Amino acid sequence: MQSLIDHARTFHERVSGGREQAATLNEGVSPQAMFITCSDAQVIPSLITGARPGELFELRTAGNVIPPYRLGRLTTEAATIEYAVNVLGVCDLIVCGHTRCGAVQGRVRSWTLRSAPTTRWWLLQTHRWREAPAGSGEPERAHLVAQLDKLRRYPRVARRLASGRLRLHGWFYEVDTGVVSNYRPESGAFTPL
Ligand SMILES: [Zn+2]
């Protein structure tokens, strides 16, 4: 922890010394995309995408779970997605799952979440999975597809997808190899980006 504190304490010195980053931070943000992924420390969106400060609007939850949309139901996820789409006007939504996801594994083997009943309830109640894509052998992929299905039902997302003003991407990151693949809804397959 101390190294994190030390870095934060001197962060302003590095910002003022780096003109490009300082300019980005001072000008405000106009992100290229919204990146929804797991809170897992192994997944680092800026490293995976090469995004510079200000280029990604991020939403991170345990297991990159997106709750089903329900009118009048307030959730952090719904509010953050709404802000990205309605206010920032992002044109691309990326949901990125990953291998060796502790949350998804916890849903499969619920005994591993005995000490985290809220997490277990959340994972069990927020969605149903489709069958895993043939040959994938990884529940994380089916889990990702379920999140994409729910995101498509958010009214603003649905309208913008229908009008072509928004694109939805399902990415899958393999933490051991760094390979990122893309979900193809028309075939149900994951193919290299
Ligand atoms: Zn995860």
Side-chain angles (χ1 to χ4, degrees):
M1 183 63 192
Q2 190 55 48
S3 66
L4 304 181
I5 296 170
D6 292 342
H7 194 277
R9 186 175 287 139
T10 57
F11 178 63
H12 67 97
E13 297 169 7
R14 288 184 294 281
V15 168
S16 59
R19 284 186 190 169
E20 186 179 350
Q21 182 167 324
T24 302
L25 293 172
N26 290 334
E27 287 169 5
V29 295
S30 180
Q32 288 191 30
M34 181 176 193
F35 200 95
I36 302 171
T37 193
C38 185
S39 303
D40 195 313
Q42 299 174 102
V43 182
I44 309 167
S46 59
L47 272 185
I48 295 170
T49 62
R52 296 175 302 172
E55 290 187 333
L56 284 184
F57 187 74
E58 296 182 27
L59 170 61
R60 307 193 67 158
T61 67
N64 45 272
V65 167
I66 298 164
Y69 178 82
R70 290 202 186 96
L71 188 64
R73 181 185 179 199
L74 294 176
T75 66
T76 300
E77 294 78 13
T80 309
I81 292 164
E82 180 185 80
Y83 187 82
V85 174
N86 294 16
V87 179
L88 297 177
V90 298
C91 296
D92 290 273
L93 290 184
I94 302 164
V95 186
C96 185
H98 69 101
T99 53
R100 292 213 246 161
C101 180
V104 176
Q105 294 294 330
R107 188 186 190 281
V108 175
R109 305 183 195 92
S110 56
W111 54 268
T112 63
L113 292 177
R114 263 182 298 198
S115 62
T118 305
T119 308
R120 181 168 176 272
W121 182 89
W122 177 246
L123 290 166
L124 289 173
Q125 298 298 319
T126 54
H127 67 278
R128 296 181 187 282
W129 286 348
R130 287 183 184 176
E131 291 297 313
S136 73
E138 292 165 313
E140 290 91 343
R141 293 181 194 261
H143 175 77
L144 169 62
V145 173
Q147 309 318 306
L148 294 169
D149 286 346
K150 286 182 288 182
L151 195 48
R152 285 192 197 91
R153 295 192 179 97
Y154 278 62
R156 180 69 70 162
V157 171
R159 279 198 290 276
R160 294 212 173 193
L161 287 171
S163 67
R165 289 179 293 162
L166 184 66
R167 292 175 292 269
L168 181 59
H169 313 266
W171 287 11
F172 193 74
Y173 173 61
E174 298 180 29
V175 297
D176 291 322
T177 63
V179 170
V180 181
S181 53
N182 190 28
Y183 176 66
R184 306 284 181 189
E186 60 278 9
S187 64
F190 285 84
T191 58
L193 274 181

